[in-house]
Amino acid sequence: MLKVAMAGASGAVAGAIPHRRAHGADAPAGPGAPDPRIQGPFLILSTPFTASGAVDFDALAKEARYVDWCGCPGMIWPQSGDSVDLLTTDEKLQGMEVLAETTRGRRTALCLGVQGKDTAEMLMYAKHAEKLAPTAIISRPLDSGKTEDDLREYWRALATVARRPVFFQTTGGVAYRGPTPSVPLMVGLAKESPYFGYIKEEAGDVIGRMKALVAAKPPIRRVFGARGGYGWLYELHLGAEGLITERAIYADVLTRVWELHRSGSDPAALRDAYSKFLLMINLSKTHPGDLRGYQLYLWKKRGVFQTMVSRHYGRGRSIPEKPIYSELELSEEEIAEIEFRFEALKPHQKPGSPDLGPR
């Protein structure tokens, strides 16, 4: 096995189309109307680690600057299962503060994740997030929820704190054994709060639920796809208006897909950009560690992360008493396959090298 130790950025071809500003000066909408800033790809940041296994907050800030440099409409953290379940409270609170400071005055909207094993834990994170004034927040079901009434009261409690758009994630964490929030539940809550009605749909009959949510506008305000982006183009055609997934390394490509979809000007380019993205993420079916292995390699390749250290669950999908740390390794053959597919993305990447320095 070959331990990866790469640095430096990957350039894009000179002929790539520059990305226009996808988010920026748009003012928040009036009460009850969908916020114009909440649309397009809102990508979940991966959590970087130092060689010792500590959260690398400097690299987290660089990752945020990378996504902003790509022109992406939004970024989210902490929200992926490992960053929610395997980080300490202090790590999550500090990371929120780092990202709030890093993104202040930038065009990419920041969305902070607020969830917990119970309502009290969720409210602690929500109050902290409110002090940092991100563009939006997102919340998955409480780990201890058992009934739809539990979900209703949990999110109603969030409504007493939140003063900005709130995404409901329709799946819970690895410890969650409760119900999927129903479409009527989310519609009812959206009627109660002008900040609700933004949905990350990834549960059960995704397409059927998404059609029902789109048909419920208003009070439903925005419907976003998820599931790694595998079905995003079809979901856009059904009326979805964004994507939430841990694919931030492809922020420029996914922003281009979004812009091509909105303009309708070049269907062939849209099909090509999306198909090349699918070719890339199909690596999760063949490479070790699923997302961790090849995405950590790409984060290093683009000069954002310094290590390929991962904090993970270990065997199975349960929350361990002590998270497992490891530096992931890739063989020469695996690296060659990553490079072969990554080359196909270049026509759809933002030209130049990422600007990762603070202003």
Side-chain angles (χ1 to χ4, degrees):
M1 302 293 283
L2 178 67
K3 183 171 289 190
V4 180
M6 296 192 63
S10 170
V13 296
I17 299 174
H19 294 285
R20 70 175 183 270
R21 184 168 177 166
H23 162 76
D26 291 340
D35 191 313
R37 300 170 296 176
I38 311 299
Q39 53 185 321
F42 268 57
L43 303 179
I44 300 171
L45 303 181
S46 300
T47 305
F49 296 95
T50 66
S52 66
V55 176
D56 189 339
F57 293 107
D58 289 339
L60 184 63
K62 288 174 68 176
E63 186 179 3
R65 292 193 286 266
Y66 168 86
V67 173
D68 179 73
W69 173 82
C70 288
C72 190
M75 68 182 81
I76 298 174
W77 191 91
Q79 196 60 28
S80 57
D82 55 355
S83 66
V84 173
D85 298 328
L86 303 182
L87 299 187
T88 67
T89 297
D90 287 344
E91 287 171 334
K92 284 183 271 192
L93 296 178
Q94 183 176 347
M96 289 181 182
E97 293 168 4
V98 167
L99 291 172
E101 178 62 29
T102 301
T103 59
R104 187 170 293 115
R106 293 181 180 269
R107 59 186 173 180
T108 299
L110 174 64
C111 177
L112 294 177
V114 299
Q115 43 257 317
K117 61 182 180 295
D118 53 29
T119 299
E121 185 175 45
M122 177 274 291
L123 287 175
M124 180 271 295
Y125 287 118
K127 291 174 182 177
H128 188 72
E130 276 295 321
K131 291 177 184 177
L132 300 173
T135 301
I137 59 179
I138 183 170
S139 182
R140 74 186 191 191
L142 69 166
D143 291 344
S144 59
K146 294 181 173 59
T147 68
E148 191 155 272
D149 283 340
D150 291 339
L151 302 187
R152 181 181 291 106
E153 295 311 309
Y154 173 77
W155 280 324
R156 276 179 173 167
L158 179 54
T160 68
V161 174
R163 294 296 177 267
R164 62 203 68 252
V166 176
F167 282 100
F168 291 166
Q169 178 175 306
T170 59
T171 57
V174 296
Y176 183 63
R177 299 294 181 268
T180 296
S182 68
V183 170
L185 171 66
M186 294 186 289
V187 171
L189 288 169
K191 291 178 179 178
E192 294 179 14
S193 170
Y195 302 113
F196 288 172
Y198 300 85
I199 312 299
K200 176 193 177 187
E201 182 54 81
E202 59 181 356
D205 176 15
V206 170
I207 299 304
R209 287 168 56 87
M210 186 168 285
K211 288 178 178 178
L213 287 164
V214 170
K217 296 180 179 180
I220 294 299
R221 294 173 174 88
R222 303 282 193 210
V223 182
F224 278 49
R227 300 186 297 164
Y230 281 103
W232 191 35
L233 189 56
Y234 180 42
E235 292 162 357
L236 287 172
H237 293 159
L238 295 176
E241 295 170 283
L243 174 70
I244 295 176
T245 183
E246 191 183 357
R247 309 285 190 184
I249 189 63
Y250 311 114
D252 48 1
V253 176
L254 289 170
T255 300
R256 178 164 169 77
V257 170
W258 169 244
E259 292 173 347
L260 287 166
H261 165 74
R262 283 203 301 178
S263 71
S265 60
D266 194 340
L270 173 60
R271 286 191 294 268
D272 187 66
Y274 185 65
S275 64
K276 297 299 172 49
F277 165 72
L278 291 179
L279 176 70
M280 195 73 216
I281 65 173
N282 181 256
L283 284 168
S284 66
K285 306 299 182 183
T286 59
H287 277 49
D290 189 22
L291 290 178
R292 295 192 310 273
Y294 76 90
Q295 289 202 163
L296 285 173
Y297 173 85
L298 292 174
W299 281 121
K300 285 197 70 177
K301 178 182 178 69
R302 302 225 73 178
V304 182
F305 288 11
Q306 298 302 306
T307 75
M308 285 184 62
V309 173
S310 172
R311 185 185 297 185
H312 52 93
Y313 295 92
R315 292 185 178 180
R317 285 288 295 170
S318 60
I319 302 174
E321 292 184 5
K322 185 177 181 180
I324 298 169
Y325 300 86
S326 63
E327 180 160 10
L328 301 180
E329 298 180 352
L330 297 170
S331 68
E332 292 181 352
E333 291 81 6
E334 289 166 338
I335 291 172
E337 186 65 21
I338 293 170
E339 292 286 355
F340 174 74
R341 300 192 190 192
F342 192 69
E343 183 72 19
L345 290 179
K346 286 187 176 181
H348 304 292
Q349 291 177 324
K350 180 176 179 178
S353 298
D355 177 8
L356 304 179
R359 292 176 180 170

